[in-house]
């Protein structure tokens, strides 16, 4: 089987990429989705707040997805559900598995849109026993919202990621006592608006510079020990206290799901956990593009859609032979105050969006793009910068046309 | 007393030792029952170890450990073939880092040869490098017969094979009292039931001293000694071509923290060595996890903290208190003063490797009490294929999916486990219905996302296709409920 553009994943990223590829003129575009429906993680996000930027409306996750799925159908994009891509080759061949059997597809361009997974108890090396009652926030969200199953009666939330904040509120609304949210960092990792709307508005305490140091219980969770941490995130002696609870929700970070990409040979950037990309969102492998949470963990779906439309567009151009193969690049380095920036390299042939996150919360600062001679090409002031809030800057090609090396920094 | 509870042989404890005995004895015309306190077999030490099929170089000639290790090792290949369990003789290098350690390599070689370990060789740097690129050290002892196996798969399959040959498994039955009346043992379990038998076998692992005490035998005491591990992402698995252990430091117990490859391609860092107070102290600790990670990073330079999938620990059934340390030989005895009581105690490492040979020893002891008659209808083979669907070839997969479409549906994305494999695990012959039973049988919830993705899907399958209510879900033990009910 042959297709012009194959999009792996039918969540918000895959949907936007596929629609845009089709509109850009790719003859046949195919989405492969392992779930039984399109929409990805949006399906279990029944709270509102999606689409504020894009549609100027506060939609629920499924409503946001529906708008894209309707357009997808209108454009005539083909999709396969309950189908998993089990292998991706650097030559853009894919191996698929479904109840109908195995299938091989040759694609002219591939868009990676597999999303991310949640960091687990093991990955944060949480010491203690292995009782039941420990869930990642996303697992609990699926069970409660999609399967009508309640996970516990008295919960502690470890980590202040957005899903954790949303689930703290959700548990409370469903009659579960929520003892508090505990965050190892001195600032929350979720969006300020979620801190307000999910915790403060409901009186759920947020404890910063505090973490769970041990899990107790041999059968069901009986409680957790929490302790304050020093600036190096090491627990401080004599600050440990025991909190009885039957449920621990983990919201301790998301990891882009790049196993397929890695096996194919796509170069992965350690800071983002996603592929290294250029200004067309092409990875280190020609004709393989990446967007959405598989590329970088986003905080707003609106940005995911915007980014993915570009990946879809360039995927289509590549499949038509209109995008020149990888050539010479100018690299963009994260400078002082910047945790990461993306794309990591640009062609200087087109405008692009620069996405970045700062290292820590700051006030009244500028984000500056410099060339190799420290010349300021772009600068923008921000009253507030926060690691939880991704910054996206549009960079016009004229501004960087002559640069040989670029650096972003906070000043 | 009803017929269902009267046996020729009762075995207490369904670890690898109890199950190997059950399977060996199921070759004879005997009515056999196994009593296990947990809800599944192999929940004790047998699922919590390194999974190494040791060669037998480490033990003093003439000891039971030496003899049963070497014999057990030689039985593994055939047994794993019959039970459809993955294993591999990947070999092991015991490496000397400095001149002072060289002598111990030659001593080990000599000891191994006295024990009958095949193929031992002293290797120089270039030969070491060929077997394990990047290995440090100056000289090594190579033991080609060292292997790896998945310890819980092996333990479960032994039980399933025994079950197929008529052995009854009673799960969730903790033995709390034993009485001997004439030639019959009356074995009472926590829920008030009584089982009777002519022969009683104690293979209760960490609790074997407590079982002894129920019979008035006071001379043994087990001191649990914890070994903690970290499990690493498969991404790093290719680094280990063979196992690499440090040469023994004189006067030190344990084999030292090292890397072990699992048959599924993960790497284990561990085990540590700490005495604990109870046979239930299965908690991992921050201190040890940090040590393991640090040592791991020295052994594997590209190890990142995010490669840690999970930590776990096992408890060694030591017969010596901390102040004495070291090892004592396995106890495998027929207590003549309590005729028919066969006692196994202190089966610490290499208990997994030795299990098949221990079973043969027990069979010999049994003949002091019962006359054994072989069955003609013993089924040595388990059905199915070895390993996981994802490991089959494209053509084999196509063929299986065309017969059974659930093989095409992948439930666990990290390990590529299919819906058919999950359903087979749910319908396991022993009838275990905990989520951990699915982990151990189908390898779901075992990969890098630890069930983040597949747990909700498995819950859906159990709810929709097997009629589970939220309250029915248990993680591993009685009382380990997952859910409190419906949301509304
Ligand atoms: C850290 C570590 C690493 C090891 N590595 C290796 C290795 O690499 N290679 C190797 O060969 N060996 C190894 N071993 C040793 C090996 O794991 C053990 O020797 C073996 O698993 C012991 O099996 P078992 O059946 O005696 O014990 P267990 O598996 O503990 O089984 C005993 C069973 O008895 C049940 N039970 C207890 N009390 C009662 C009761 N009252 N009523 C009913 N049931 C009861 C328990 O629940 C349990 O299921 C290791 C051990 C440890 C701790």
């Amino acid at each position: 089987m042959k297709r012009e553009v194959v999009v792996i994943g039918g969540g918000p990223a895959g949907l936007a990429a596929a629609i845009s590829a089709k509109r850009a003129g790719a003859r046949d575009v195919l989405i492969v989705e392992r779930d039984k429906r399109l929409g990805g993680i949006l399906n279990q996000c029944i709270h509102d707040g999606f689409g504020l930027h894009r549609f100027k409306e506060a939609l629920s996750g499924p409503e946001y997805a529906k708008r894209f799925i309707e357009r997808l159908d209108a454009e005539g994009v083909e999709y396969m559900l309950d189908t998993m891509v089990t292998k991706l080759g650097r030559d853009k061949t894919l191996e698929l598995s479904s109840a109908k059997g195995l299938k091989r597809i040759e694609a002219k361009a591939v868009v990676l849109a597999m999303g991310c997974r949640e960091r687990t108890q093991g990955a944060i090396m949480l010491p203690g026993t292995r009782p039941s009652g420990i869930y990642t926030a996303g697992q609990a969200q699926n069970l409660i919202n999609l399967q009508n199953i309640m996970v516990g009666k008295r919960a502690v939330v470890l980590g202040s990621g957005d899903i954790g904040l949303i689930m703290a509120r959700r548990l409370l609304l469903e009659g579960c006592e929520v003892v508090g949210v505990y965050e190892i960092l001195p600032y929350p990792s979720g969006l300020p608006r979620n801190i307000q709307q999910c915790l403060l508005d409901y009186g759920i305490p947020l404890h910063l510079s505090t973490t769970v140091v041990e899990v107790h219980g041999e059968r069901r969770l009986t409680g957790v020990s929490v302790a304050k941490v020093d600036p190096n995130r090491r627990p401080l002696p004599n600050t440990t206290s025991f909190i009885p609870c039957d449920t621990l929700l983990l919201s301790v970070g998301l990891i882009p799901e790049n196993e397929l990409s890695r096996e194919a040979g796509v170069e992965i950037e350690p800071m983002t956990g996603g592929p290294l990309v250029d200004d067309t969102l092409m990875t280190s492998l020609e004709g393989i593009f990446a967007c959405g949470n598989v590329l970088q963990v986003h905080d707003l779906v609106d940005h995911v859609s915007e980014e993915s439309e570009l990946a879809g567009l360039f995927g289509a151009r590549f499949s038509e032979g209109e995008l020149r193969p990888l050539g010479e690049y100018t690299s963009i380095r994260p400078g002082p105050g910047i945790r990461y920036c993306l794309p990591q390299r640009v062609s200087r042939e087109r405008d692009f969006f620069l996405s970045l996150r700062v290292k820590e919360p700051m006030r009244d600062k500028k984000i500056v793009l410099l060339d190799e001679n420290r010349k300021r090409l772009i600068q923008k002031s921000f009253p507030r910068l926060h690691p939880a809030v991704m910054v996206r800057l549009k960079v016009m090609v004229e501004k960087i046309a002559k640069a040989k090396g670029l650096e972003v920094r906070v000043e | 007393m009803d017929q269902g509870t009267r046996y020729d042989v009762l075995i207490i404890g369904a670890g690898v030792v109890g199950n190997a005995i059950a399977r060996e004895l199921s070759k004879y015309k005997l009515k056999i029952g196994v009593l296990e306190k947990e809800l599944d077999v192999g929940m004790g030490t047998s699922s919590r170890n390194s999974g190494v099929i040791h060669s037998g170089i480490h033990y003093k000639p003439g000891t039971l450990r030496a003899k049963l290790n070497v014999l057990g090792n030689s039985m593994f290949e055939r047994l794993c073939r019959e039970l459809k369990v993955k294993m591999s003789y990947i070999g092991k290098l015991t490496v000397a880092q400095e001149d002072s350690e060289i002598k111990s390599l030659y001593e080990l070689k000599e000891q191994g040869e006295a024990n009958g370990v095949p193929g031992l060789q002293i290797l120089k740097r270039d030969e070491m490098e060929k077997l394990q690129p990047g290995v440090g050290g100056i000289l090594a002892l190579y033991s080609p017969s060292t292997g790896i196996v998945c310890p819980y798969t092996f333990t479960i399959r032994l039980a399933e094979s025994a079950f197929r040959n008529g052995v009854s498994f009673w799960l969730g039955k903790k033995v709390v009292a034993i009485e001997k009346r004439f030639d019959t043992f009356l074995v009472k379990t926590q829920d008030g039931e009584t089982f009777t038998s002519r022969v009683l076998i104690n293979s209760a692992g960490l609790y074997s001293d407590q079982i002894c005490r129920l019979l008035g035998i006071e001379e043994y005491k087990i001191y649990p000694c914890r070994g903690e591990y970290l499990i690493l992402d498969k991404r790093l698995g290719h680094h280990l071509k063979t196992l690499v252990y440090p040469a023994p430091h004189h006067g030190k117990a344990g084999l030292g923290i090292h890397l072990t490859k699992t048959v599924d391609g993960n790497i284990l860092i561990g085990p540590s060595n700490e005495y604990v107070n109870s046979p239930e102290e299965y908690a991992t600790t921050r201190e040890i996890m940090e040590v393991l990670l640090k040592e791991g990073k020295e052994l594997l330079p590209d190890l990142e903290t995010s490669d840690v999938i999970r930590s776990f620990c096992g408890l060694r059934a030591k017969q010596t208190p901390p102040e004495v340390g070291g090892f004592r030989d396995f106890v495998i005895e027929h207590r003549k003063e309590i005729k028919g009581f066969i006692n196994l105690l202190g089966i610490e490492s290499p208990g997994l490797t030795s299990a098949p040979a221990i079973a043969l020893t027990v069979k010999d002891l049994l003949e002091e009490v019962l006359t054994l008659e072989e069955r003609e209808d013993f089924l040595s083979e388990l059905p199915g294929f070895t390993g996981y669907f994802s490991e089959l070839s494209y053509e084999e997969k196509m063929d299986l999916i065309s017969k059974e479409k659930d093989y095409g549906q992948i439930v666990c994305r990290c390990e590529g486990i299919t819906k058919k494999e999950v359903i087979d695990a749910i319908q396991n012959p022993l009838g275990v219905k905990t989520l951990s039973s699915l982990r151990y049988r189908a390898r779901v919830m075992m990969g890098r996302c630890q069930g983040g993705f597949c747990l909700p899907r498995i819950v859906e399958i159990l709810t929709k296709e097997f009629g589970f209510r939220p309250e029915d879900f248990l993680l591993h033990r009685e009382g380990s409920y997952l859910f409190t009910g419906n949301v509304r």
Side-chain angles (χ1 to χ4, degrees):
Chain A
M1 200 167 125
K2 288 192 177 164
R3 289 291 180 275
E4 298 267 298
V5 180
V6 175
V7 179
I8 310 179
L15 290 170
I19 294 167
S20 144
K22 185 77 198 214
R23 284 196 173 161
R27 250 175 302 119
D28 41 38
V29 179
L30 168 69
I31 296 183
V32 186
E33 166 57 49
R34 61 188 169 205
D35 212 339
K36 56 179 178 285
R37 46 174 110 75
L38 292 171
I41 203 73
L42 289 173
N43 289 315
Q44 65 186 54
C45 297
I46 61 171
H47 56 282
D48 71 2
F50 297 91
L52 288 172
H53 294 234
R54 190 179 183 97
F55 300 115
K56 309 283 179 263
E57 270 183 80
L59 304 174
S60 71
E63 284 168 342
Y64 188 91
K66 191 161 165 257
R67 300 217 170 170
F68 283 83
I69 295 169
E70 281 167 1
R71 263 195 266 160
L72 187 87
D73 286 335
E75 295 288 340
V77 174
E78 181 190 2
Y79 55 86
M80 293 179 175
L81 300 177
D82 281 317
T83 306
M84 176 117 149
V85 176
T86 52
K87 216 180 258 170
L88 169 66
R90 53 167 56 230
D91 57 351
K92 301 182 288 290
T93 54
L94 299 98
E95 228 171 86
L96 274 47
S97 178
S98 76
K100 297 200 192 86
L102 305 181
K103 204 172 244 148
R104 284 193 174 126
I105 300 186
E106 285 171 40
K108 284 196 182 154
V110 172
V111 180
L112 307 174
M114 294 89 82
C116 58
R117 64 167 180 269
E118 294 177 279
R119 192 166 276 144
T120 62
Q121 178 186 7
I124 57 167
M125 301 215 299
L126 195 55
T129 50
R130 296 286 170 270
S132 63
I134 304 177
Y135 298 94
T136 60
Q139 267 179 340
Q141 191 177 42
N142 180 303
L143 293 164
I144 294 175
N145 292 349
L146 296 181
Q147 305 202 48
N148 189 27
I149 288 175
M150 194 56 193
V151 293
K153 295 202 151 74
R154 185 177 155 89
V156 161
V157 180
L158 174 60
S160 56
D162 287 310
I163 318 176
L165 301 176
I166 282 157
M167 287 313 292
R169 175 177 67 183
R170 183 90 178 107
L171 286 174
L172 188 92
L173 290 174
E174 295 303 343
C176 173
E177 186 184 348
V178 180
V179 187
V181 175
Y182 295 80
E183 169 59 57
I184 196 168
L185 297 174
Y187 51 84
S189 30
L191 289 173
R193 78 166 197 230
N194 283 331
I195 300 287
Q196 183 64 44
Q197 294 169 9
C198 300
L199 302 188
L200 301 180
D201 290 356
Y202 288 86
I204 299 172
L206 169 64
H207 304 267
L208 298 173
S209 300
T210 312
T211 193
V212 171
V213 290
E214 193 173 350
V215 165
H216 304 273
E218 281 160 13
R219 298 162 194 269
R220 176 78 187 195
L221 183 70
T222 55
V224 296
S225 298
V226 299
K228 290 253 159 216
V229 298
D230 68 15
N232 298 319
R233 304 190 203 170
R234 310 229 7 125
L236 290 163
N238 307 325
T239 62
T240 307
S241 60
F242 177 79
I243 301 177
C245 59
D246 67 2
T247 305
L248 175 64
L249 282 203
L250 302 176
S251 181
V252 290
L254 300 169
I255 304 168
E257 183 121 312
N258 276 295
E259 278 66 37
L260 275 179
S261 337
R262 266 204 187 91
E263 280 168 37
V266 169
E267 194 177 323
I268 303 296
E269 182 63 32
M271 277 320 291
T272 54
L276 176 137
V277 287
D278 67 12
D279 49 350
T280 67
L281 301 178
M282 193 183 323
T283 65
S284 62
L285 294 183
E286 242 177 60
I288 300 186
F289 298 79
C291 56
N293 279 356
V294 81
L295 174 60
Q296 58 175 336
V297 175
H298 289 257
D299 37 83
L300 290 178
V301 72
D302 310 64
H303 287 162
V304 169
S305 303
E306 182 182 75
E307 177 176 277
S308 305
E309 280 167 348
L310 288 173
L313 168 77
F314 289 116
R317 292 246 182 97
F318 183 91
S319 74
E320 310 272 297
E322 291 166 15
L323 201 65
R324 89 188 154 96
L326 304 179
E328 254 181 43
Y329 285 117
T330 302
S331 65
I332 311 184
R333 285 195 312 120
I338 305 287
R339 174 169 298 154
Y340 77 80
C341 60
L342 180 154
Q344 293 85 359
R345 49 190 196 179
V346 291
S347 62
R348 289 182 297 157
E349 284 179 6
R350 59 182 69 78
D351 304 346
F352 65 94
F353 278 105
L354 180 65
S355 309
L356 60 91
R357 282 183 195 271
V358 293
K359 281 194 174 143
E360 56 198 14
M362 289 176 257
R363 276 170 186 265
D364 298 320
K365 295 278 181 192
K366 287 190 199 103
I367 299 230
V368 189
L369 184 66
L370 306 169
D371 71 7
E372 71 282 8
N373 301 319
R374 297 272 159 103
K375 198 176 135 212
R376 290 154 184 265
L377 307 177
I378 295 182
Q379 67 178 35
K380 189 168 176 198
S381 302
F382 290 85
R384 264 176 203 185
L385 286 166
H386 197 285
V389 183
M390 181 193 288
V391 176
R392 273 169 78 79
L393 295 176
K394 180 132 194 191
V395 178
M396 299 300 190
V397 61
E398 313 82 81
K399 300 267 187 195
I400 57 157
K402 294 195 195 79
K404 301 219 167 50
L406 295 164
E407 183 189 294
V408 209
R409 55 163 71 187
V410 182
E411 281 184 353
Chain B
M1 198 164 297
D2 82 71
Q3 273 296 330
T5 57
R6 186 177 300 158
Y7 291 97
D8 296 319
V9 179
L10 271 177
I11 300 170
I12 305 174
V16 70
V17 173
N19 293 349
I21 295 170
R23 182 187 189 260
E24 184 58 37
L25 298 184
S26 72
K27 294 174 181 165
Y28 303 92
K29 293 182 180 158
L30 293 170
K31 191 161 158 50
I32 303 165
V34 180
L35 301 175
E36 167 55 53
K37 72 179 168 70
E38 299 298 331
L39 298 178
D40 196 355
V41 302
M43 297 290 284
T45 312
S46 300
S47 55
R48 301 161 168 277
N49 57 59
S50 304
V52 175
I53 308 167
H54 289 296
S55 64
I57 54 177
H58 284 288
Y59 313 107
K60 291 237 154 52
T63 60
L64 275 176
R65 291 169 98 204
K67 183 180 132 201
L68 299 176
N69 181 328
V70 176
L71 179 60
N73 178 304
S74 72
M75 296 168 72
F76 251 83
E77 191 169 23
R78 168 162 173 202
L79 204 44
C80 285
R81 197 174 343 109
E82 291 176 348
L83 299 176
K84 309 266 168 31
V85 174
K86 272 198 285 185
M87 67 124 352
S88 133
Y89 285 113
I90 75 168
K92 169 172 124 177
L93 291 171
T94 305
V95 177
Q97 297 294 343
E98 42 190 272
D99 287 343
S100 64
E101 292 172 341
I102 289 181
K103 189 160 155 263
S104 71
L105 291 188
Y106 283 94
E107 286 166 5
L108 271 184
K109 179 163 184 273
E110 208 170 294
Q111 175 166 290
E113 279 162 355
N115 291 338
V117 179
L120 294 174
Q121 270 177 287
I122 297 281
L123 300 186
K124 299 216 180 64
R125 277 245 24 112
D126 55 331
E127 297 159 312
M128 291 161 66
E129 190 65 33
K130 254 183 252 159
L131 284 174
Q132 178 61 52
V135 67
I138 52 175
L139 202 71
L141 172 63
Y142 180 56
S143 50
S145 66
T146 302
I148 49 177
V149 69
C150 172
Y152 44 84
T153 309
F154 183 68
T155 302
I156 290 168
R157 294 286 168 86
L158 281 169
E160 291 182 350
S161 172
F163 178 83
R164 203 170 147 81
N165 287 296
V167 174
S168 321
F169 281 81
W170 296 89
L171 304 173
K173 298 279 181 193
K174 179 173 180 170
V175 173
V176 291
I178 306 171
E179 200 185 314
K180 175 125 197 239
R181 242 183 246 165
F182 306 106
D183 63 349
T184 303
F185 289 94
L186 279 76
V187 181
K188 287 206 172 61
T189 54
Q190 200 162 32
D191 52 358
E193 253 190 280
T194 303
F195 297 80
T196 63
S197 68
R198 291 181 59 201
V199 170
L200 182 64
I201 299 174
N202 174 16
S203 54
L206 294 158
Y207 293 84
S208 50
D209 57 340
Q210 298 188 21
I211 297 295
C212 282
R213 246 165 271 143
L214 297 179
L215 277 159
I217 301 170
E218 303 285 344
E219 68 214 59
Y220 299 113
K221 178 157 173 51
I222 296 292
Y223 302 88
C225 177
R226 185 165 59 200
E228 295 185 37
Y229 295 87
L230 298 178
I231 311 181
L232 304 182
D233 198 291
K234 282 181 172 178
R235 181 178 87 80
L236 299 161
H238 66 274
H239 283 296
L240 280 192
K241 310 274 183 248
T242 182
L243 301 181
V244 181
Y245 282 48
H249 301 280
H250 281 284
K252 235 178 152 188
L255 298 176
I257 289 171
H258 54 266
L259 304 177
T260 307
K261 191 168 177 163
T262 72
V263 263
D264 294 312
N266 299 93
I267 286 183
L268 303 178
I269 312 179
S272 60
N273 214 330
E274 320 111 58
Y275 279 89
V276 292
N277 297 319
S278 106
E280 297 284 322
E281 233 176 287
Y282 287 127
T284 55
T285 61
R286 178 176 300 270
E287 298 72 39
I288 299 289
M289 283 161 99
E290 284 174 1
V291 172
L292 294 178
L293 189 64
K294 188 167 155 281
E295 300 214 2
K297 282 184 172 166
E298 276 164 26
L299 295 164
L300 273 183
D302 67 337
L303 165 62
E304 288 167 32
T305 310
S306 60
D307 289 316
V308 177
I309 291 184
R310 187 181 168 83
S311 62
F312 73 97
C313 63
L315 302 177
R316 304 173 180 88
K318 290 220 166 272
Q319 296 178 69
T320 45
E323 57 284 7
V324 178
F327 300 106
R328 232 175 248 168
D329 204 5
F330 295 160
V331 173
I332 303 176
E333 57 183 5
H334 177 201
R335 299 290 293 210
K336 298 279 163 47
E337 82 278 16
I338 313 174
K339 192 165 177 234
F341 180 59
I342 296 175
N343 189 30
L344 296 104
L345 191 136
I347 313 291
E348 51 165 315
S349 198
L352 170 67
T353 316
S354 308
I358 292 174
L360 288 180
T361 312
V362 168
K363 187 214 100 192
D364 291 344
L365 292 176
L366 200 70
E367 286 184 299
E368 296 173 5
V369 193
L370 301 171
T371 23
L372 298 183
E373 201 184 322
E374 266 188 64
R375 295 168 42 173
E376 293 89 58
D377 56 350
F378 175 74
L379 299 166
S380 60
E381 298 254 338
L382 279 179
F385 53 86
T386 302
Y388 300 96
F389 181 79
S390 65
E391 297 165 330
L392 300 176
S393 73
Y394 193 85
E395 288 67 32
E396 288 169 313
K397 284 181 185 166
M398 283 294 258
D399 183 49
L400 279 175
I401 297 175
S402 70
K403 292 184 193 128
E404 185 62 72
K405 67 179 178 34
D406 283 347
Y407 274 124
Q409 292 255 29
I410 293 175
V411 173
C412 156
R413 65 177 171 203
C414 303
E415 300 289 321
I417 304 297
T418 64
K419 184 168 175 195
K420 174 74 166 85
E421 290 168 291
V422 173
I423 288 186
D424 287 348
I426 294 172
Q427 297 173 324
N428 66 79
L430 302 179
V432 192
K433 290 275 181 284
T434 60
L435 285 190
S436 86
S437 78
L438 305 183
R439 293 183 39 192
Y440 286 148
R441 285 166 178 78
R443 217 182 142 64
V444 285
M445 299 174 275
M446 282 286 216
R448 46 178 75 91
C449 89
Q450 290 286 295
F453 177 76
C454 64
L455 172 77
R457 293 168 169 238
I458 290 167
V459 168
E460 195 176 331
I461 294 174
L462 283 165
T463 305
K464 291 208 175 132
E465 300 182 29
F466 291 87
F468 269 49
R469 295 164 310 152
E471 299 81 0
D472 297 335
F473 288 87
L474 283 182
L475 179 60
H476 37 46
R477 313 180 69 183
E478 213 84 69
S480 68
Y481 62 93
L482 268 98
F483 311 124
T484 49
N486 286 118
V487 179
R488 52 187 76 221

